[in-house]
Amino acid sequence: MSPCFERRMLLLVLAAASLSCAAAQPNDPNVMAALLAQRDAIDNWAEFKQANNITGWTSDIPYCEWDKKTIQCNPKTGALILDLGCIERDGKQQGFCALKAKGTLAPQLANITQLIRLFLNGQSLSGTLPDAWGASGAFPSLLELWVTENQLLTGTLPASWGAAGRFSKLKYLYIGYNAFSGPLPDSWGSPNAFPALNELQASHNQLSGTLPVSWGTAGAFPSLQTLNLNINNWTGTLPESWGGKDKFPAMQSLTIMQTPITGALPDSWAGPGAFPNLVDLELATNQMNGTLPASWGSSSAFQKLEILYLDATSMTGPLPDSWAGTGAFPVLSQLGLSHCNLTGTLPASWGSQTAFQQLGLLDLESNLLT
């Protein structure tokens, strides 16, 4: 079961236990209008509602008295959770999966100032991400936004979402498993964009272009811990700008796998102050080439890295002695280098008692090592 799925189920259990809707809850006409706009944006609403046993969602009933599986209101704080999502993992379904919703994302949802979590994932929604969701004043309280696994959502990622002051509280942004195309917006990496974002999941799309140099600007993504860009159409090389002091200071997991990215592993990623909290770095199944950089074995680099996957790339040359040097990779537990074009012999240093103290998995299968 995936961590995201487990986390989502826990959130729903906690929300059901802690949130309730009371008849005295204010029925804000702006909130009502925005919710009904999303209802009307679902083309098969009547069928979707019936198949999933949803009650309420009419203007004559206060929205906090609608089906509590879809709308959860906190009578003390006024916070709202909107959930019309479906999660399917390991044969289990959670949410509204009996019949998938077809339609679009309603721009008006951005007007709900009390909304803290928005789940519209796992349906058959189409169209684009609304620019209005990144307008000034939109979603001032939003903590989580899930539109993942709709597969029919298209278009580019809105540059407006990266403007200063937008999504000021957003911690989790899940936009993966759709058909988004085009580049990652430079604006998303500006110093004032997404100040609270912890996780950005954009895998399994049709995104293209080079990874933005701007995302490596000092001050960009100050809170980002997890970045998943797997299975897209990235071109070019891994940006040198992403490494170095004050770049991605909170990053713990960076995965960019199964893409056409080429070029060498950047020396800057092992430079002073680079990725100080990185635990998991997965770059497997790309078209990267060149040799394994000796600099990555520096005693000051990757001090918290536990997982490094470089399998199924076009890396060549020998295994660096420096990677087994004093202080190198002090907590590395998994190192994947299989199915590359590595040559030479296994260095004696790699078998020393002081090398790779925590290593439990070393995969060198299918190379040219002798």
Side-chain angles (χ1 to χ4, degrees):
M1 186 178 296
S2 73
C4 283
F5 179 62
E6 291 178 339
R7 183 178 172 283
R8 170 74 187 281
M9 291 189 69
L10 177 60
L11 278 172
L12 293 175
V13 170
L14 292 174
S18 63
L19 295 176
S20 63
C21 293
Q25 177 74 16
N27 198 44
D28 188 324
N30 293 323
V31 175
M32 175 69 80
L35 293 172
L36 293 179
Q38 183 57 66
R39 178 200 67 182
D40 295 341
I42 296 176
D43 299 330
N44 63 336
W45 173 259
E47 296 83 1
F48 173 74
K49 180 180 180 182
Q50 181 177 11
N52 290 287
N53 298 313
I54 296 172
T55 59
W57 284 82
T58 56
S59 60
D60 59 324
I61 302 174
Y63 51 80
C64 282
E65 296 179 20
W66 292 355
D67 194 321
K68 292 179 175 58
K69 298 188 302 293
T70 63
I71 295 289
Q72 297 167 17
C73 303
N74 188 316
K76 294 183 179 179
T77 65
L80 298 179
I81 295 176
L82 169 57
D83 187 354
L84 292 175
C86 165
I87 287 183
E88 299 180 72
R89 291 287 186 275
D90 302 322
K92 298 181 180 179
Q93 293 185 334
Q94 176 75 31
F96 304 96
C97 307
L99 180 70
K100 299 296 183 71
K102 299 178 180 179
T104 58
L105 302 171
Q108 295 90 332
L109 289 178
N111 299 330
I112 305 179
T113 59
Q114 308 97 316
L115 192 63
I116 61 171
R117 295 188 176 96
L118 174 57
F119 301 116
L120 293 170
N121 52 291
Q123 299 297 338
S124 295
L125 300 175
S126 57
T128 60
L129 294 175
D131 272 313
W133 287 14
S136 177
F139 291 129
S141 304
L142 194 65
L143 303 176
E144 298 193 39
L145 174 55
W146 293 57
V147 293
T148 190
E149 294 187 76
N150 277 284
Q151 300 182 358
L152 299 177
L153 288 173
T154 59
T156 58
L157 303 181
S160 63
W161 287 26
R166 310 309 195 261
F167 295 106
S168 60
K169 294 185 179 180
L170 190 69
K171 293 185 176 183
Y172 305 101
L173 177 56
Y174 295 102
I175 56 176
Y177 294 87
N178 286 300
F180 296 125
S181 58
L184 294 173
D186 283 311
S187 62
W188 287 27
S190 61
N192 296 312
F194 299 108
L197 193 65
N198 290 167
E199 295 185 22
L200 172 54
Q201 204 278 61
S203 72
H204 294 78
N205 277 293
Q206 298 171 24
L207 298 169
S208 60
T210 58
L211 299 177
V213 171
S214 66
W215 285 31
T217 303
F221 297 113
S223 305
L224 192 63
Q225 298 177 10
T226 300
L227 177 58
N228 186 337
L229 300 174
N230 293 342
I231 312 182
N232 280 287
N233 298 321
W234 312 123
T235 56
T237 60
L238 298 174
E240 288 276 357
S241 67
W242 287 23
K245 188 178 180 180
D246 300 324
K247 314 295 180 65
F248 296 109
M251 184 72 74
Q252 296 180 16
S253 176
L254 174 58
T255 59
I256 310 171
M257 299 195 295
Q258 297 186 48
T259 80
I261 280 180
T262 60
L265 296 173
D267 283 309
S268 65
W269 287 29
F275 296 114
N277 292 296
L278 192 63
V279 174
D280 179 13
L281 177 57
E282 302 183 28
L283 302 171
T285 323
N286 287 304
Q287 298 178 24
M288 296 179 303
N289 49 37
T291 58
L292 299 175
S295 61
W296 282 36
S298 166
S299 60
S300 62
F302 300 118
Q303 291 299 287
K304 294 185 179 181
L305 193 67
E306 297 178 12
I307 298 171
L308 176 57
Y309 292 152
L310 299 169
D311 309 83
T313 61
S314 298
M315 306 303 297
T316 60
L319 299 172
D321 277 304
S322 64
W323 284 31
T326 302
F329 297 110
V331 296
L332 192 68
S333 62
Q334 299 179 39
L335 175 55
L337 292 168
S338 68
H339 296 87
C340 296
N341 294 316
L342 299 172
T343 58
T345 60
L346 184 68
S349 60
W350 282 45
S352 72
Q353 292 184 349
T354 58
F356 300 117
Q357 290 290 296
Q358 304 298 321
L359 196 64
L361 171 65
L362 172 60
D363 191 351
L364 297 171
E365 182 184 359
S366 299
N367 277 286
L368 303 175
L369 298 168
T370 58

